[in-house]
Short mmCIF file of all heavy atoms in Angstrom, two decimals:
data_model
loop_
_atom_site.label_atom_id
_atom_site.label_comp_id
_atom_site.label_asym_id
_atom_site.label_seq_id
_atom_site.Cartn_x
_atom_site.Cartn_y
_atom_site.Cartn_z
N PRO A 12 84.03 -43.44 -88.81
CA PRO A 12 83.38 -42.42 -87.99
C PRO A 12 84.37 -41.60 -87.17
O PRO A 12 84.17 -40.44 -86.91
CB PRO A 12 82.45 -43.24 -87.08
CG PRO A 12 82.20 -44.50 -87.84
CD PRO A 12 83.46 -44.77 -88.61
N ALA A 26 97.18 -47.81 -66.50
CA ALA A 26 97.35 -47.99 -65.05
C ALA A 26 98.69 -47.41 -64.65
O ALA A 26 99.61 -47.30 -65.48
CB ALA A 26 97.27 -49.47 -64.67
N LEU A 36 108.68 -42.19 -58.05
CA LEU A 36 107.39 -41.68 -57.58
C LEU A 36 106.31 -42.74 -57.58
O LEU A 36 105.41 -42.72 -56.72
CB LEU A 36 106.94 -40.51 -58.47
CG LEU A 36 107.85 -39.28 -58.53
CD1 LEU A 36 107.29 -38.28 -59.53
CD2 LEU A 36 107.99 -38.65 -57.16
N GLY A 41 107.16 -45.47 -53.67
CA GLY A 41 107.05 -44.09 -54.14
C GLY A 41 105.91 -43.34 -53.46
O GLY A 41 104.87 -43.93 -53.14
N ARG A 50 94.16 -44.47 -51.38
CA ARG A 50 92.97 -43.81 -51.93
C ARG A 50 92.70 -42.48 -51.23
O ARG A 50 91.55 -42.06 -51.07
CB ARG A 50 91.74 -44.72 -51.86
CG ARG A 50 91.88 -45.97 -52.70
CD ARG A 50 90.70 -46.91 -52.52
NE ARG A 50 89.46 -46.35 -53.04
CZ ARG A 50 89.07 -46.44 -54.30
NH1 ARG A 50 89.83 -47.06 -55.20
NH2 ARG A 50 87.90 -45.92 -54.69
N MET A 55 99.20 -31.57 -55.15
CA MET A 55 100.61 -31.72 -55.55
C MET A 55 100.88 -30.94 -56.83
O MET A 55 99.96 -30.61 -57.59
CB MET A 55 100.94 -33.20 -55.77
CG MET A 55 100.22 -33.84 -56.94
SD MET A 55 100.51 -35.65 -57.07
CE MET A 55 99.45 -36.23 -55.74
N ILE A 56 102.15 -30.67 -57.04
CA ILE A 56 102.63 -30.08 -58.28
C ILE A 56 103.57 -31.09 -58.93
O ILE A 56 104.53 -31.55 -58.31
CB ILE A 56 103.39 -28.75 -58.03
CG1 ILE A 56 102.50 -27.75 -57.29
CG2 ILE A 56 103.88 -28.16 -59.36
CD1 ILE A 56 101.26 -27.32 -58.04
N GLY A 59 108.27 -31.30 -64.35
CA GLY A 59 109.18 -32.09 -65.16
C GLY A 59 109.16 -31.66 -66.61
O GLY A 59 108.30 -30.88 -67.04
N VAL A 90 89.19 -17.07 -65.20
CA VAL A 90 88.54 -17.09 -63.89
C VAL A 90 87.18 -17.75 -63.97
O VAL A 90 86.78 -18.51 -63.07
CB VAL A 90 88.44 -15.66 -63.34
CG1 VAL A 90 87.64 -15.64 -62.05
CG2 VAL A 90 89.82 -15.06 -63.12
N ALA A 106 77.71 -34.75 -52.70
CA ALA A 106 77.17 -36.08 -53.03
C ALA A 106 78.15 -37.19 -52.63
O ALA A 106 77.92 -38.36 -52.95
CB ALA A 106 76.88 -36.16 -54.52
N ILE A 114 95.40 -29.07 -63.44
CA ILE A 114 95.67 -27.83 -64.16
C ILE A 114 96.97 -27.99 -64.92
O ILE A 114 98.05 -28.04 -64.34
CB ILE A 114 95.77 -26.61 -63.21
CG1 ILE A 114 94.53 -26.51 -62.32
CG2 ILE A 114 95.97 -25.33 -64.03
CD1 ILE A 114 93.26 -26.22 -63.07
N GLN A 124 95.16 -15.42 -60.01
CA GLN A 124 94.47 -16.65 -60.35
C GLN A 124 94.95 -17.81 -59.48
O GLN A 124 94.15 -18.65 -59.07
CB GLN A 124 94.69 -16.97 -61.83
CG GLN A 124 93.95 -16.03 -62.78
CD GLN A 124 94.39 -16.23 -64.23
OE1 GLN A 124 95.58 -16.35 -64.52
NE2 GLN A 124 93.43 -16.25 -65.13
N LEU A 139 94.07 -30.50 -55.76
CA LEU A 139 94.71 -29.83 -56.90
C LEU A 139 95.96 -30.60 -57.33
O LEU A 139 96.83 -30.90 -56.50
CB LEU A 139 95.09 -28.40 -56.54
CG LEU A 139 95.88 -27.62 -57.60
CD1 LEU A 139 95.02 -27.38 -58.83
CD2 LEU A 139 96.37 -26.30 -57.02
N LEU A 151 105.34 -20.16 -59.02
CA LEU A 151 104.11 -20.36 -58.25
C LEU A 151 104.18 -19.61 -56.93
O LEU A 151 105.25 -19.44 -56.34
CB LEU A 151 103.88 -21.85 -57.99
CG LEU A 151 103.72 -22.73 -59.23
CD1 LEU A 151 103.40 -24.16 -58.82
CD2 LEU A 151 102.65 -22.20 -60.17
N ALA A 228 119.92 -41.89 -93.60
CA ALA A 228 118.55 -41.93 -94.12
C ALA A 228 117.57 -41.42 -93.08
O ALA A 228 116.61 -40.71 -93.40
CB ALA A 228 118.20 -43.34 -94.55
N ILE A 251 124.41 -21.99 -67.28
CA ILE A 251 125.54 -21.09 -67.05
C ILE A 251 126.24 -21.44 -65.75
O ILE A 251 127.46 -21.32 -65.62
CB ILE A 251 125.08 -19.60 -67.05
CG1 ILE A 251 126.29 -18.67 -67.21
CG2 ILE A 251 124.30 -19.26 -65.80
CD1 ILE A 251 126.98 -18.76 -68.54
N SER A 252 125.47 -21.94 -64.77
CA SER A 252 126.07 -22.42 -63.52
C SER A 252 126.92 -23.65 -63.78
O SER A 252 128.02 -23.78 -63.22
CB SER A 252 124.98 -22.74 -62.50
OG SER A 252 125.53 -23.28 -61.31
N ALA A 253 126.43 -24.55 -64.64
CA ALA A 253 127.21 -25.75 -64.96
C ALA A 253 128.51 -25.38 -65.67
O ALA A 253 129.57 -25.97 -65.40
CB ALA A 253 126.38 -26.68 -65.83
N LEU A 254 128.46 -24.39 -66.56
CA LEU A 254 129.66 -23.93 -67.24
C LEU A 254 130.66 -23.36 -66.25
O LEU A 254 131.85 -23.71 -66.26
CB LEU A 254 129.29 -22.88 -68.29
CG LEU A 254 130.45 -22.14 -68.96
CD1 LEU A 254 131.37 -23.12 -69.69
CD2 LEU A 254 129.94 -21.08 -69.92
N ASP A 299 146.65 -16.63 -62.08
CA ASP A 299 146.98 -16.40 -63.49
C ASP A 299 146.34 -15.08 -63.89
O ASP A 299 145.23 -15.05 -64.42
CB ASP A 299 146.45 -17.54 -64.35
CG ASP A 299 146.76 -17.33 -65.84
OD1 ASP A 299 147.44 -16.34 -66.16
OD2 ASP A 299 146.31 -18.15 -66.66
N ALA A 302 144.43 -14.38 -67.18
CA ALA A 302 143.09 -14.91 -67.45
C ALA A 302 142.07 -13.80 -67.63
O ALA A 302 141.23 -13.84 -68.54
CB ALA A 302 142.66 -15.85 -66.33
N ALA A 308 139.59 -9.85 -73.74
CA ALA A 308 139.96 -9.94 -75.15
C ALA A 308 138.99 -10.85 -75.91
O ALA A 308 138.64 -10.56 -77.06
CB ALA A 308 141.39 -10.48 -75.28
N ASN A 339 140.84 -18.45 -55.40
CA ASN A 339 139.80 -17.47 -55.08
C ASN A 339 140.24 -16.57 -53.93
O ASN A 339 139.42 -15.96 -53.26
CB ASN A 339 138.48 -18.16 -54.72
CG ASN A 339 138.59 -18.97 -53.42
OD1 ASN A 339 139.69 -19.25 -52.95
ND2 ASN A 339 137.45 -19.33 -52.84
N LYS A 350 133.57 -6.57 -45.52
CA LYS A 350 132.91 -6.79 -44.23
C LYS A 350 133.56 -5.93 -43.14
O LYS A 350 132.87 -5.31 -42.31
CB LYS A 350 133.01 -8.27 -43.86
CG LYS A 350 132.32 -8.63 -42.55
CD LYS A 350 132.43 -10.13 -42.30
CE LYS A 350 131.77 -10.49 -40.97
NZ LYS A 350 131.87 -11.96 -40.69
N ASN A 366 147.92 12.73 -46.45
CA ASN A 366 148.51 13.76 -47.29
C ASN A 366 148.53 15.09 -46.55
O ASN A 366 147.58 15.41 -45.82
CB ASN A 366 147.69 13.88 -48.59
CG ASN A 366 148.41 14.69 -49.64
OD1 ASN A 366 149.63 14.71 -49.68
ND2 ASN A 366 147.64 15.36 -50.49
N LEU A 371 148.83 23.89 -42.11
CA LEU A 371 148.01 23.45 -40.98
C LEU A 371 148.07 21.94 -40.85
O LEU A 371 148.22 21.41 -39.75
CB LEU A 371 146.57 23.91 -41.17
CG LEU A 371 145.55 23.41 -40.12
CD1 LEU A 371 145.95 23.88 -38.73
CD2 LEU A 371 144.13 23.84 -40.47
N MET A 372 147.96 21.25 -41.96
CA MET A 372 147.98 19.79 -41.92
C MET A 372 149.33 19.28 -41.42
O MET A 372 149.40 18.33 -40.64
CB MET A 372 147.67 19.21 -43.30
CG MET A 372 146.22 19.42 -43.75
SD MET A 372 145.97 18.79 -45.42
CE MET A 372 144.20 19.00 -45.59
N GLY A 376 150.49 17.12 -37.77
CA GLY A 376 151.21 15.85 -37.79
C GLY A 376 150.94 14.98 -38.99
O GLY A 376 151.40 13.83 -39.05
N ILE A 418 154.09 -14.75 -54.95
CA ILE A 418 153.41 -13.74 -54.14
C ILE A 418 153.35 -14.18 -52.69
O ILE A 418 153.62 -13.41 -51.76
CB ILE A 418 151.99 -13.47 -54.69
CG1 ILE A 418 152.07 -12.86 -56.09
CG2 ILE A 418 151.20 -12.57 -53.75
CD1 ILE A 418 150.72 -12.70 -56.76
#
Side-chain angles (χ1 to χ4, degrees):
L36 300 176
R50 296 175 67 86
M55 66 186 76
I56 303 297
V90 174
I114 307 294
Q124 289 170 316
L139 175 66
L151 300 184
I251 196 66
S252 177
L254 171 60
D299 179 3
N339 66 344
K350 182 178 179 181
N366 193 30
L371 175 60
M372 290 177 174
I418 295 174

